[in-house]
């Protein structure tokens, strides 16, 4: 009988990392094997029932998302823009899982079935607040409002199970930040993880930075698959032996054990930010990183936690004169002296740390003049930049404001080279969106590995991709209702006015509580991770 | 009144209800069938937007640690609306008695100064709080490369957050501490003078007609709410 793996990591049954329940639900597999075109690998037999599932069950026993049956049909291309995207898996991280059931090896099918379908078990702490692939794309980290970090690892490819390519399983879970109370100001510091950034891998262990509003932490995630046995002074249970009873000496040997993944905090960078940290960025020298809050940006050395350098300070001497805040910041991918930061007024400043110790004077200033025909009371709010990202090449920066995504050439400051409308149909709704505060939502944006496609989220669990070369774009939806594993995502369309066609959705029917703020793109492949509230969707492009 | 399909963001405070009620009456400009706000009769739409913005500002400032970005954006929007409302010489298309422009002027004149004064005091409080909780920062333009910020060793717990600030606390003495926790931060100075300037007294209320009645009713309602909260701190005012 298939033993359900324990809560937090993928392989060990004696794992000691944070015991937070993790469940993954796979959606209903298609039963009928699809015809394959000639030349593709031979169809694989359906998963044997001995894995603990019945092929007829609507929800497969978890926790690993793995579709059953043969690969998806390589048939119609319904997508426009970036080809077709298929759902690989949908991952859920509920806080309350009946761990007892797992340890007692109770049939978890029933629990999975009813448990995950019932949304009341997913609490606000499960809302994903950041998503980030590491530099190879092997690992995918998510942070949530409850201060937890969950790391997923890509399933290893094997000859037998080619169709499992692109799936991610839980690798490690740990509590990164706890809620704190600032007694002086008498307020609580949220444990929500605002950002996660990976360090490039330099040895067997993985390192990442995670931050909440006030404190940045460096975590080390390492594997242990051997343990020493044969101590002289300790017996196998760890009890000390009386030296007098030892007659022979032996050399302890390392014996293999079940893989254990452990996360340990290696550095804590605290007490350097008065305002809320919105960004962290690892420098290309891999020795320093920066953290940015509303008014200041600090430069840290990874080795030094009790000191940081302030490199940008836009706090006015008289707070009455405050009219602008920093909204995002990032280091250049190759030039360790260059970084950019964006503001609530829709401007981007590029700074060179060689110019002066305090980079209050920018080297370059990017701003697009306001379009007079679109002027309204909300012009400034919708121009506020919520995210800024360098392209992988380092030649361009992309910014996201409320209605558009813009691509700027670093050599041209007076206007962006490309502007993409994300959801222009909201322009006439700005009043309502101001009233319900949706206009203040902060959407992120990402580049693909080759900088040819950009992606960002929208409302109603929609997300958009723009191909910079072909100028085509597509709207896709991350939702449970209309996604089966390996099913091809259908492009969505919002109808603005007039006649609504069959598959379109009207602007008034959009659900503004379902917003896709966080997405991530694999560094070299067409695999994307989309966070929708407490769900993490992983899509990949159709296997050709 | 709100266009259907737009979900209201979930909020626990009562202000949400008050906002709703306060705006329900003249929320026609939220109707998607209407053109953009800027094209609507400017006076009425602006004043509603103004009230909404003031409410948002108030709500934002009331929080123990306001979201600075939200605050700054709301304040800047408020300034824009104020700027556009300033020229009230031309009568709006909607028929209204001549009292409206003067009422609007009063509101603007008093609220402008009140707004900036209130904003100033509140932001000063914010910066005061920062000054107490952080080791004092050296001024800009120092020659040594960068400006090291003295930080405490990695926090072992919430109590350690008091560490770096202890020095400052003792320097100011306990008086300084209590000075900062000044409850005037929570007073609604924003509205008090304005209400005294505008409040005609209950008997004058029903006399107005048309659109100004809405403004008056709104203001009265808001004042009720605010005076109600202040009744805890001050003796109840006469005539209300």
């Amino acid at each position: 009988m298939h033993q359900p793996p324990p809560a937090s990591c993928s392989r060990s049954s004696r794992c000691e990392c944070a015991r937070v329940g993790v469940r993954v639900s796979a959606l209903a597999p298609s039963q009928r094997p699809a015809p394959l075109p000639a030349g593709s690998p031979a169809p694989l037999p359906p998963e044997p029932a001995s894995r603990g599932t019945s092929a007829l069950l609507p929800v497969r026993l978890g926790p690993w998302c793995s579709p059953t049956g043969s690969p998806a049909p390589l048939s119609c291309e319904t997508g426009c823009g970036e080809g077709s995207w298929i759902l690989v898996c949908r991952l859920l991280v509920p806080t309350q899982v009946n761990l007892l059931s797992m340890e007692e090896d109770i049939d978890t099918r029933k629990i999975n079935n009813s448990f995950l379908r019932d949304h009341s078990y997913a609490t606000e702490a499960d809302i994903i607040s950041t998503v980030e692939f590491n530099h190879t794309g092997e690992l995918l980290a998510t942070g949530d409002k409850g201060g937890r970090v969950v790391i997923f690892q890509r399933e290893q490819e094997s000859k037998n199970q080619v169709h499992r390519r692109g799936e991610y399983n839980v690798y490690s879970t740990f509590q990164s930040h706890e809620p704190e109370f600032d007694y002086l100001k008498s307020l609580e510091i949220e444990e929500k993880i605002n950002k996660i950034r990976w360090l490039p891998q330099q040895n067997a262990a993985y390192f990442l930075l995670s931050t909440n509003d006030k404190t940045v932490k460096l975590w080390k995630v390492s594997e242990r698959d051997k343990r020493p046995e044969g101590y002289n002074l300790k017996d196998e249970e760890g009890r000390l032996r009386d030296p007098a009873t030892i007659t022979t000496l032996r050399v302890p040997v390392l014996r293999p054990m079940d893989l254990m993944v452990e996360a340990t905090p290696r550095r804590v960078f605290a007490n350097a930010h008065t305002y809320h940290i919105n960004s962290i960025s690892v420098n290309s020298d891999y020795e320093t990183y920066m953290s940015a809050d509303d008014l200041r940006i600090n430069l840290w050395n990874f080795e030094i936690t009790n000191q940081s350098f302030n490199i940008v300070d836009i706090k006015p001497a008289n707070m009455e004169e405050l009219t602008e805040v920093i909204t995002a910041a990032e280091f250049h991918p190759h030039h360790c002296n260059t970084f950019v930061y964006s503001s609530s007024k829709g401007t981007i400043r590029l700074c060179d740390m060689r110019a002066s110790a305090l980079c209050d004077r920018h080297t370059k200033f990017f701003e697009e003049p306001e379009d007079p025909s679109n002027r309204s009371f909300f012009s400034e709010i919708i121009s506020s930049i919520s995210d800024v990202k360098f392209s992988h090449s380092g030649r361009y920066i992309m910014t996201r404001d409320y209605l558009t995504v813009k691509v700027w050439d670093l050599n041209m400051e007076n206007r962006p080279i490309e502007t993409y409308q994300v959801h222009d149909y909201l322009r006439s709704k700005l009043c309502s969106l101001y009233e319900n505060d949706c206009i203040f939502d902060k959407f992120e944006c990402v580049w693909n590995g080759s900088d040819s496609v950009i992606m960002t989220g929208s409302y109603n669990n929609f997300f958009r991709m723009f191909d910079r070369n072909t100028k085509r774009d597509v709207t896709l939806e991350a939702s449970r209702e209309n996604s089966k594993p390996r099913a091809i995502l259908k492009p969505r369309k919002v109808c603005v006015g007039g006649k609504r066609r069959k598959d379109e959705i009207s602007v008034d029917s959009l659900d503004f509580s379902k917003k896709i703020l966080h997405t991530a793109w694999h560094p070299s492949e067409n695999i994307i991770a989309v966070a929708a509230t407490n769900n993490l969707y992983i899509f990949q492009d159709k296997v050709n | 009144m709100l266009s259907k399909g737009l979900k209201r963001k979930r909020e626990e405070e009562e202000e949400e209800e008050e906002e709703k009620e306060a705006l329900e009456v003249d929320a026609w400009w939220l109707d998607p069938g209407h053109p953009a706000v800027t094209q609507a009769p400017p006076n009425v739409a602006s004043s509603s937007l103004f009230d909404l913005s003031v409410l948002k500002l108030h709500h934002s400032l009331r929080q123990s640690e306001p979201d600075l970005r939200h605050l700054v954006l709301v304040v800047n929007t408020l300034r824009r609306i104020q700027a556009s409302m300033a020229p009230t010489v031309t009568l709006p298309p909607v028929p209204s008695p001549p009292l409206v422009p003067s009422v609007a002027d009063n509101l603007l004149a008093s609220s402008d100064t009140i707004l900036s004064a209130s904003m100033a005091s509140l932001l000063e409080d914010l910066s005061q709080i920062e000054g107490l909780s952080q080791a004092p920062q050296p001024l800009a333009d120092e020659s040594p490369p960068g400006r090291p910020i003295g930080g405490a060793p990695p926090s072992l717990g919430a109590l350690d957050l008091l560490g770096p600030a202890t020095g400052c606390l003792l320097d100011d003495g306990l008086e300084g501490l209590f000075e900062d926790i000044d409850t005037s931060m929570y007073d609604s100075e924003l509205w008090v003078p304005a209400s005294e300037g505008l409040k005609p007294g209950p008997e004058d209320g029903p006399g107005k007609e048309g659109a100004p009645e809405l403004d008056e009713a709104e203001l009265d309602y808001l004042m009720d709410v605010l005076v109600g909260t202040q009744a805890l701190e001050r003796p109840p005012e006469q005539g209300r």
Side-chain angles (χ1 to χ4, degrees):
Chain A
M1 185 70 186
H2 174 65
Q3 177 98 0
S8 51
C9 79
S10 53
R11 279 154 228 161
S12 163
S13 60
R14 287 199 299 277
C15 168
E16 283 150 35
C17 35
R19 282 221 167 249
V20 179
V22 175
R23 293 277 191 169
V24 163
S25 95
L27 305 170
S30 65
Q31 300 299 320
R32 183 179 56 84
L36 298 172
S40 63
L44 302 161
E47 295 290 312
S50 62
R51 287 211 48 153
T53 68
S54 157
L56 298 174
L57 269 190
V59 173
R60 191 184 140 89
L61 172 60
W64 319 131
C65 47
S66 35
T68 57
S70 43
L74 305 172
S75 55
C76 54
E77 167 133 8
T78 54
C80 71
E82 262 316 284
S84 298
W85 289 87
I86 57 176
L87 172 68
V88 174
C89 51
R90 179 176 69 90
L91 310 166
L92 271 172
V93 189
T95 47
Q96 298 168 27
V97 172
N98 192 344
L99 292 173
L100 286 175
S101 73
M102 300 187 84
E103 286 160 11
E104 293 169 17
D105 191 25
I106 289 173
D107 185 356
T108 52
R109 279 176 291 177
K110 284 189 207 148
I111 295 172
N112 239 338
N113 219 340
S114 59
F115 196 79
L116 291 172
R117 292 280 185 234
D118 185 352
H119 282 277
S120 63
Y121 280 104
T123 68
E124 190 170 313
D126 298 324
I127 294 175
I128 297 172
S129 51
T130 184
V131 188
E132 187 84 355
F133 280 100
N134 75 337
H135 292 259
T136 59
E138 184 205 351
L139 299 181
L140 174 64
T142 62
D144 63 28
K145 269 188 105 171
R148 240 179 352 186
V149 171
V150 180
I151 302 178
F152 300 92
Q153 186 185 45
R154 189 163 181 190
E155 176 93 16
Q156 300 301 324
E157 273 187 47
S158 66
K159 292 205 187 93
N160 301 337
Q161 298 172 334
V162 172
H163 66 280
R164 283 172 172 256
R165 181 181 85 89
E167 286 172 26
Y168 283 77
N169 300 321
V170 174
Y171 179 68
S172 173
T173 305
F174 55 93
Q175 187 74 32
S176 171
H177 287 72
E178 300 273 3
E180 286 177 39
F181 194 75
D182 182 341
Y183 290 99
L184 194 62
K185 296 191 212 173
S186 201
L187 41 86
E188 193 169 294
I189 301 173
E190 262 191 68
E191 69 274 30
K192 173 170 77 99
I193 307 292
N194 291 336
K195 283 285 174 352
I196 289 175
R197 289 288 181 264
W198 289 93
L199 268 68
Q201 200 175 0
Q202 290 171 319
N203 52 36
Y206 303 102
F207 287 89
L208 61 81
L209 285 175
S210 73
T211 184
N212 68 349
D213 283 339
K214 300 286 185 179
T215 305
V216 185
K217 293 188 185 180
L218 176 69
W219 286 88
K220 175 181 175 184
V221 181
S222 50
E223 295 180 5
R224 189 191 293 236
D225 61 355
K226 294 185 184 45
R227 65 153 186 251
E229 277 180 16
Y231 284 107
N232 292 294
L233 294 175
K234 278 193 295 188
D235 65 17
E236 293 312 313
E237 278 81 50
R239 290 183 298 230
L240 291 174
R241 290 165 69 182
D242 180 4
T245 63
I246 300 171
T247 52
T248 58
L249 289 178
R250 55 186 177 172
V251 177
V253 292
L254 289 175
R255 296 215 184 282
M257 57 181 258
D258 288 342
L259 183 69
M260 183 173 89
V261 181
E262 50 186 8
T264 46
R266 302 296 293 178
R267 303 272 188 276
V268 177
F269 305 93
N271 299 323
H273 285 280
T274 308
Y275 306 100
H276 292 181
I277 297 176
N278 51 55
S279 312
I280 46 175
S281 177
V282 179
N283 205 348
S284 50
D285 62 8
Y286 303 154
E287 288 181 2
T288 56
Y289 76 93
M290 70 159 141
S291 56
D293 67 27
D294 292 319
L295 297 179
R296 300 194 178 98
I297 302 181
N298 294 333
L299 181 71
W300 301 83
N301 183 302
F302 280 112
E303 301 301 321
I304 301 169
T305 59
N306 62 357
Q307 203 176 25
S308 80
F309 289 94
N310 178 246
I311 53 177
V312 173
D313 188 340
I314 64 169
K315 177 171 185 275
N318 189 354
M319 280 292 267
E320 271 184 61
E321 297 158 6
L322 179 66
T323 56
E324 193 174 8
V325 297
I326 298 172
T327 52
E330 195 180 48
F331 268 117
H332 191 283
H334 312 308
H335 302 141
C336 57
N337 52 287
T338 305
F339 66 92
V340 293
Y341 70 92
S342 60
S343 82
S344 57
K345 284 198 168 169
T347 65
I348 307 106
R349 289 170 177 80
L350 183 139
C351 299
D352 187 334
M353 293 197 289
R354 297 170 300 189
S356 74
L358 186 60
C359 302
D360 275 354
R361 266 189 305 188
H362 48 263
T363 305
K364 294 198 185 201
F365 183 76
F366 300 84
E367 185 180 29
E368 184 175 24
E370 195 179 358
D371 177 5
S373 63
N374 268 336
R375 208 163 189 275
S376 78
F377 292 130
F378 309 110
S379 293
E380 181 175 324
I381 300 182
I382 62 169
S383 74
S384 171
I385 293 175
S386 50
D387 195 16
V388 66
K389 292 263 168 52
F390 272 100
S391 64
H392 291 92
S393 62
R395 277 192 60 192
Y396 305 103
I397 47 176
M398 165 167 57
T399 59
R400 174 73 155 99
D401 52 61
Y402 189 63
L403 296 178
T404 71
V405 185
K406 296 181 176 157
V407 177
W408 305 74
D409 187 318
L410 282 188
N411 299 316
M412 186 159 76
E413 299 170 52
N414 57 352
R415 61 179 174 82
I417 55 170
E418 295 154 30
T419 301
Y420 301 94
Q421 303 293 333
V422 181
H423 37 218
D424 200 53
Y425 44 79
L426 296 182
R427 201 177 285 273
S428 55
K429 312 281 179 195
L430 293 179
C431 273
S432 318
L433 296 166
Y434 177 66
E435 202 239 334
N436 64 14
D437 272 346
C438 280
I439 206 174
F440 298 102
D441 286 337
K442 290 188 284 187
F443 293 93
E444 293 172 9
C445 54
V446 289
W447 298 86
N448 76 336
S450 58
D451 297 337
S452 58
V453 183
I454 57 184
M455 173 170 70
T456 189
S458 177
Y459 294 104
N460 209 72
N461 280 349
F462 287 170
F463 58 99
R464 303 261 283 138
M465 287 184 199
F466 302 93
D467 187 322
R468 297 177 60 217
N469 299 325
T470 65
K471 299 301 177 197
R472 288 156 79 190
D473 62 84
V474 67
T475 305
L476 300 171
E477 182 178 0
S479 83
R480 288 158 47 124
E481 282 78 32
N482 45 18
S483 318
K484 304 181 202 169
R486 306 279 142 180
I488 295 175
L489 286 181
K490 209 174 57 160
R492 304 304 308 263
K493 193 139 166 42
V494 177
C495 113
V496 183
K499 287 178 83 171
R500 185 179 77 88
R501 282 190 224 142
K502 192 176 151 230
D503 283 333
E504 293 182 353
I505 180 167
S506 78
V507 184
D508 297 321
S509 310
L510 294 175
D511 187 345
F512 287 84
S513 67
K514 294 191 182 160
K515 42 195 104 174
I516 304 239
L517 303 173
H518 313 287
T519 59
W521 203 308
H522 190 286
S524 51
E525 296 187 36
N526 278 342
I527 300 174
I528 57 176
V530 176
T533 324
N534 64 327
N535 292 281
L536 181 71
Y537 290 85
I538 299 184
F539 302 101
Q540 68 177 80
D541 66 342
K542 220 173 50 167
V543 179
N544 286 316
Chain B
M1 290 293 171
L2 296 173
S3 55
K4 50 182 195 275
L6 283 176
K7 301 277 194 288
R8 183 181 288 277
K9 205 170 162 182
R10 204 164 64 85
E11 280 195 61
E12 309 295 322
E13 281 83 4
E14 293 154 4
E15 267 113 19
E16 189 63 16
E17 298 306 306
E18 293 159 12
E19 257 184 66
K20 230 174 149 172
E21 287 187 44
L23 294 167
E24 213 162 299
V25 193
D26 61 344
W28 55 267
W29 46 267
L30 292 173
D31 185 340
H34 280 267
V37 169
T38 48
Q39 294 167 15
N43 235 32
V44 185
S46 303
S47 75
S48 305
L49 212 50
F50 180 84
D51 298 334
L52 171 60
S53 301
V54 168
L55 274 175
K56 278 191 183 298
L57 174 66
H58 194 63
H59 178 67
S60 190
L61 289 168
R62 276 243 219 123
Q63 305 203 326
S64 47
E65 201 175 20
D67 176 1
L68 219 52
R69 173 182 166 261
H70 188 271
L71 192 61
V72 160
L73 290 174
V74 169
V75 165
N76 290 349
T77 305
L78 204 47
R79 286 189 182 130
R80 276 196 187 214
I81 298 169
Q82 271 192 331
S84 77
M85 283 170 75
T88 52
V89 178
T90 59
L91 284 177
V94 176
S96 55
L99 195 61
V100 173
S102 61
V103 163
D105 276 351
N106 272 350
L107 173 62
L108 280 174
S110 51
S111 64
D112 195 45
T113 46
I114 301 312
L115 178 64
S116 51
S118 162
M119 270 297 299
S121 70
L122 287 154
L123 287 171
E124 273 302 311
D125 286 329
L126 274 179
S127 60
Q128 276 183 24
I129 290 171
E130 179 217 353
L132 281 173
S133 70
Q134 200 183 28
Q137 284 202 341
L139 296 172
D141 304 328
E142 294 303 329
S143 48
R147 293 187 332 201
I149 297 175
S155 163
L156 302 170
L159 287 171
D160 276 354
L161 288 168
L162 286 174
T166 326
C168 304
L169 269 182
L170 293 175
D171 287 344
D172 280 345
L174 287 174
E175 292 306 305
L177 173 62
F178 291 123
E179 220 168 36
D180 175 58
I181 311 176
D182 184 3
T183 54
S184 69
M185 197 173 151
Y186 302 99
D187 286 350
S188 313
E189 286 177 60
L190 181 65
W191 286 104
V192 169
S195 68
E196 279 168 17
L198 291 170
K199 192 168 70 176
E203 57 275 8
D204 288 349
K208 305 286 183 292
E209 33 154 319
E213 185 177 341
L214 299 176
D215 287 339
E216 291 286 341
E218 272 181 67
L219 288 171
D220 283 351
Y221 180 82
L222 287 168
M223 275 155 16
D224 274 347
V225 170
L226 295 165
V227 166
T229 60
Q230 286 173 29
L232 295 170
E233 295 168 36
R234 305 178 187 182
E237 294 178 46
Q238 287 180 339
R240 199 67 190 168

